[in-house]
Amino acid sequence: MNAKRIIPRLSFWQIWNMNVGFFGIQYSFGLQQTAVNPIYSFLGAHAEQLPILNLAGPITGLLIQPLIGAISDKTWSPRWGRRKPFFLLGAIFCSIALFLFPFSSSIWMAAGLLWILDAANNTAMEPYRAFIGDKLPEDQQTFGFQMQSLFVGAGITLANLSLFVFQKYLGGNSANGGIPVWVYYSFFLGSFCSIASVAWSVYKTPEIPPTDDEIEELRIAKEKSTFFTPFTEIIVAIREMPKVLWQLALVYLFQWYALFVYWQFITPMLKSSLYGISEADETKANAIVESAKKGVSVVSSDLSWAQGILHQVEVAVGQTGLMNGSYNIVTMLSALLLVPFAKKFGSKNTYIFCLFLTGLGIMTLPFIKNEYFILLPMVALGIGWASMMGLPYSMVSPSIPHSKRGVYMGVINMMIVIPMLIQTLSFGFVFNNFLGNNPCSAIILAGVLFVVAGSCVFLIKQDVAKN
């Protein structure tokens, strides 16, 4: 029998190098947050279509992450390793999809590329999280995840700020319909960052080979495994799920539903509240510009008006990038600062406060008419986002049996994507029939739902640690 495998401690730069790849993955996620829905609009999609056009995110997250995690657990290649083949493969397809995305000639081409992009991102992301546990001894894992969070914030921030900077300095003064040229630059940069950052981590970070005993265990597990094995494990985990996770699932239902509403409708809200552009105006302007491009005679004053409207639409997209980039910067700065507050007041109370703060901040957005003052509520959202990424896990972790920690992390991810799936299927109807097709009302509702989520946290009863 072989001795137990010893995991060596890594230096600061070794931990840095192994997490660089997360930067490119999160740059892609940042573009999905901010730029995909405006691209749909540039291609002629209406606001009520946005939820269903974003169906790729929750579906791929629900299926790909647990499946890839289970497969990578039972994988070993002497040349490529266990986790690296999956996040390298994901990065390649992500890079290709990002490069092609701005060339989308129709809504459905863009939607198809989003499915590929989301599947690739989830393929890369799931084994990357397990990579930390594989490579770092227990006393370094917290630092490893903190470093990963740093690159999460950095990637999303650069993606959002790139949209603002490219629109402001490379956007020009005219709009010719379709996807603006400056949008291409952000996606090309993302395509490069995706493959380059992951390739850097793959090149710089060797995986620890399994012992002979572990290889034998992998062989036996592979022989016994069937296509349905990982799905069976997930079903059993849900059936035996601790009560505190069901309580967290209620919080997540409102929290992630609200987040998806915000990401989808922040740009339409800005067009309406900050720049006074209605969807009818944008549709009319697109039609005029398209007619002019096809050689149809158009009154010069109408064409100038249409170009002005479409330019303001581009400005709104850039403003969205600035706002989302701002809240991710706040997230980077506030994540560690929440730790002493959680120790003093408890993770539960801190989480409640942050969700209430986020809800109130988002509810103010439609009433702010200044492009700089509207950045102030992003401080609230940034603090809230920092709490959402860490505090729920610290609250429920003591209730999760150590031997099932991996499968329950997958179940928690399902709690995130199921509300998103519900939102994509339901919110178009809600938007049309209850909100009067008003994106400002959609954003206000998102704020209300964050407050509801915070109220549901009161129901969570934390347990002591289980072995």
Side-chain angles (χ1 to χ4, degrees), residues 90-112:
I92 291 172
F93 278 95
C94 179
S95 182
I96 294 171
L98 285 171
F99 183 85
L100 294 176
F101 208 98
F103 293 100
S104 298
S105 57
S106 67
I107 295 172
W108 298 111
M109 178 179 175

Side-chain angles (χ1 to χ4, degrees), residues 78-96:
R79 180 176 182 183
W80 297 105
R82 170 174 290 166
R83 313 293 182 184
K84 292 195 296 185
F86 294 95
F87 52 76
L88 182 58
L89 182 66
I92 291 172
F93 278 95
C94 179
S95 182
I96 294 171

Side-chain angles (χ1 to χ4, degrees), residues 262-337:
Y262 169 82
W263 288 331
Q264 289 171 8
F265 286 91
I266 183 61
T267 299
M269 185 217 77
L270 290 173
K271 288 187 285 188
S272 174
S273 66
L274 203 58
Y275 300 104
I277 302 169
S278 67
E279 187 172 1
D281 287 338
E282 185 178 353
T283 301
K284 181 179 178 181
N286 273 313
I288 292 173
V289 170
E290 284 299 314
S291 296
K293 289 170 64 177
K294 294 176 181 177
V296 177
S297 178
V298 176
V299 177
S300 59
S301 59
D302 288 346
L303 181 59
S304 296
W305 171 84
Q307 290 174 331
I309 290 292
L310 295 184
H311 175 67
Q312 287 295 90
V313 170
E314 295 181 22
V315 173
V317 176
Q319 180 70 23
T320 302
L322 178 62
M323 292 170 63
N324 287 351
S326 297
Y327 86 68
N328 276 286
I329 290 174
V330 174
T331 296
M332 293 171 60
L333 297 176
S334 64
L336 295 181
L337 296 178

Side-chain angles (χ1 to χ4, degrees), residues 319-386:
Q319 180 70 23
T320 302
L322 178 62
M323 292 170 63
N324 287 351
S326 297
Y327 86 68
N328 276 286
I329 290 174
V330 174
T331 296
M332 293 171 60
L333 297 176
S334 64
L336 295 181
L337 296 178
L338 288 177
V339 175
F341 284 95
K343 288 183 177 179
K344 183 174 182 179
F345 301 105
S347 296
K348 178 177 175 178
N349 291 331
T350 305
Y351 188 30
I352 291 170
F353 172 80
C354 291
L355 288 178
F356 281 178
L357 180 66
T358 300
L360 294 174
I362 287 179
M363 281 188 274
T364 67
L365 290 174
F367 305 101
I368 301 175
K369 307 301 180 182
N370 182 281
E371 61 186 2
Y372 298 108
F373 288 159
I374 205 169
L375 297 178
L376 293 178
M378 295 298 98
V379 175
L381 180 54
I383 294 172
W385 184 238

Side-chain angles (χ1 to χ4, degrees), residues 53 76 114 150 193 202 223 261 289 313 333 347 361 370 421:
L53 289 172
W76 174 253
L114 181 60
L150 170 67
C193 288
V202 169
E223 289 178 353
V261 172
V289 170
V313 170
L333 297 176
S347 296
N370 182 281
L421 177 59

Side-chain angles (χ1 to χ4, degrees), residues 162-447:
S162 75
L163 290 165
F164 174 77
V165 171
F166 288 146
Q167 188 278 325
K168 188 174 182 64
Y169 296 104
L170 301 176
N173 297 316
S174 64
N176 297 312
I179 300 173
V181 173
W182 56 267
V183 172
Y184 286 61
Y185 303 144
S186 288
F187 277 84
F188 291 165
L189 179 59
S191 179
F192 171 78
C193 288
S194 178
I195 189 63
S197 63
V198 170
W200 178 268
S201 291
V202 169
Y203 175 72
K204 286 288 187 177
T205 310
E207 293 199 60
I208 300 174
T211 64
D212 292 340
D213 288 342
E214 289 171 331
I215 291 176
E216 179 64 16
E217 289 175 3
L218 288 174
R219 185 189 65 79
I220 295 173
K222 187 175 181 179
E223 289 178 353
K224 293 181 177 180
S225 178
T226 68
F227 176 81
F228 298 102
T229 298
F231 300 100
T232 302
E233 293 174 352
I234 293 171
I235 292 171
V236 171
I238 294 174
R239 189 174 62 228
E240 300 174 352
M241 192 161 69
K243 185 177 179 180
V244 68
L245 288 181
W246 288 109
Q247 294 164 342
L248 180 64
L250 180 63
V251 177
Y252 272 13
L253 174 63
F254 295 104
Q255 173 184 298
W256 288 98
Y257 194 107
L259 273 168
F260 232 37
V261 172
Y262 169 82
W263 288 331
Q264 289 171 8
F265 286 91
I266 183 61
T267 299
M269 185 217 77
L270 290 173
K271 288 187 285 188
S272 174
S273 66
L274 203 58
Y275 300 104
I277 302 169
S278 67
E279 187 172 1
D281 287 338
E282 185 178 353
T283 301
K284 181 179 178 181
N286 273 313
I288 292 173
V289 170
E290 284 299 314
S291 296
K293 289 170 64 177
K294 294 176 181 177
V296 177
S297 178
V298 176
V299 177
S300 59
S301 59
D302 288 346
L303 181 59
S304 296
W305 171 84
Q307 290 174 331
I309 290 292
L310 295 184
H311 175 67
Q312 287 295 90
V313 170
E314 295 181 22
V315 173
V317 176
Q319 180 70 23
T320 302
L322 178 62
M323 292 170 63
N324 287 351
S326 297
Y327 86 68
N328 276 286
I329 290 174
V330 174
T331 296
M332 293 171 60
L333 297 176
S334 64
L336 295 181
L337 296 178
L338 288 177
V339 175
F341 284 95
K343 288 183 177 179
K344 183 174 182 179
F345 301 105
S347 296
K348 178 177 175 178
N349 291 331
T350 305
Y351 188 30
I352 291 170
F353 172 80
C354 291
L355 288 178
F356 281 178
L357 180 66
T358 300
L360 294 174
I362 287 179
M363 281 188 274
T364 67
L365 290 174
F367 305 101
I368 301 175
K369 307 301 180 182
N370 182 281
E371 61 186 2
Y372 298 108
F373 288 159
I374 205 169
L375 297 178
L376 293 178
M378 295 298 98
V379 175
L381 180 54
I383 294 172
W385 184 238
S387 73
M388 296 172 216
M389 292 296 97
L391 295 181
Y393 295 95
S394 67
M395 290 169 58
V396 303
S397 182
S399 302
I400 299 175
H402 181 75
S403 61
K404 297 183 178 180
R405 206 165 285 275
V407 67
Y408 278 119
M409 288 300 107
V411 170
I412 291 175
N413 186 67
M414 293 174 67
M415 294 178 188
I416 293 172
V417 298
I418 288 175
M420 292 183 175
L421 177 59
I422 294 172
Q423 192 273 347
T424 60
L425 295 176
S426 67
F427 200 73
F429 177 82
V430 173
F431 187 72
N432 273 327
N433 293 278
F434 297 100
L435 301 179
N437 290 291
N438 187 341
C440 294
S441 298
I443 293 298
I444 292 172
L445 178 60

